[in-house]
Amino acid sequence: DFAFVGIKKGKNVLVIKDADNGKTIQTISVSKLDAFVNPVYHPNGKEIVVTGLMEGQPDLYSINLKTKKATQLTNDIYSENMASFSSDGSKLIFCYDKNSITEGRTEGKYTYDIAEIDYLAGNIRVFNFFHGADNLNPVFDHNDNFYFVSDRDGLRNMYKYDQTNGRVYQMT
């Protein structure tokens, strides 16, 4: 199945299509959220995580596909977006602007670090590399390492974080 954000009567809806035939399987209105973006399936196939906006504050929310209810995963003054699940669904990696708020902006702009949340416990770990750069679009691979894009040297390049040794490798 394929999930994306659509608009119905001026409000965001989560649209789920059958990837093989293109038919709409489900359209979910999430009344709890003013808006949302970046849907990502949990590996269990029973929920989708989005970056939801409520009263101007972006946080991560899990939408249960059966009950159509949204559960808030993060609740702070920072922005969390572009989430991706580990292969077993125990970790969720995302972009996080906490360090821009707590440590100050770089050259006057807010930037994103990569962070990981333990999906069940809710503990957040911020990775300590390339602070001050925009580190975006993190995606886990099948070995639970992750790839991301960063402009750390002024150009956007792809990097790989190896979970086994804690090293970052430039891929492009």
Side-chain angles (χ1 to χ4, degrees):
D1 297 343
F2 179 74
F4 62 94
V5 177
I7 297 181
K8 184 176 183 180
K9 296 182 181 177
K11 294 281 290 175
N12 286 149
V13 292
L14 184 62
V15 180
I16 301 172
K17 296 264 189 185
D18 183 307
D20 293 325
N21 63 28
K23 292 185 180 182
T24 300
I25 297 170
Q26 194 173 16
T27 300
I28 300 173
S29 296
V30 185
S31 59
K32 181 177 183 175
L33 300 175
D34 296 334
F36 55 91
V37 294
N38 301 323
V40 60
Y41 268 98
H42 188 286
N44 68 16
K46 297 178 182 177
E47 54 194 304
I48 290 178
V49 167
V50 298
T51 296
L53 190 65
M54 194 63 189
E55 297 179 2
Q57 178 58 47
D59 282 298
L60 296 176
Y61 291 82
S62 173
I63 300 171
N64 182 297
L65 298 178
K66 186 175 182 179
T67 65
K68 301 179 182 179
K69 300 289 182 201
T71 301
Q72 192 168 5
L73 302 175
T74 58
N75 186 11
D76 54 34
I77 63 169
Y78 314 115
S79 295
E80 301 91 0
N81 60 46
M82 300 181 196
S84 174
F85 275 103
S86 60
S87 60
D88 67 357
S90 66
K91 304 283 186 198
L92 190 64
I93 198 152
F94 56 95
C95 302
Y96 199 36
D97 74 348
K98 180 179 181 177
N99 284 338
S100 282
I101 307 295
T102 60
E103 297 176 16
R105 295 178 283 169
T106 303
E107 297 178 9
K109 69 175 188 166
Y110 289 97
T111 58
Y112 285 97
D113 292 302
I114 304 295
E116 179 181 75
I117 187 170
D118 180 299
Y119 196 63
L120 295 178
N123 303 322
I124 296 175
R125 167 188 175 199
V126 180
F127 289 91
N128 191 25
F129 50 77
F130 307 162
H131 177 61
D134 264 334
N135 303 299
L136 306 171
N137 303 98
V139 178
F140 277 109
D141 68 13
H142 64 283
N143 291 321
D144 291 335
N145 300 304
F146 61 85
Y147 292 83
F148 62 99
V149 176
S150 178
D151 66 355
R152 74 176 184 99
D153 61 359
L155 301 172
R156 291 214 190 271
N157 283 295
M158 184 171 62
Y159 295 84
K160 175 185 177 180
Y161 178 78
D162 188 320
Q163 297 271 25
T164 59
N165 63 21
R167 294 185 62 195
V168 177
Y169 299 94
Q170 186 168 341
M171 306 304 289
T172 61

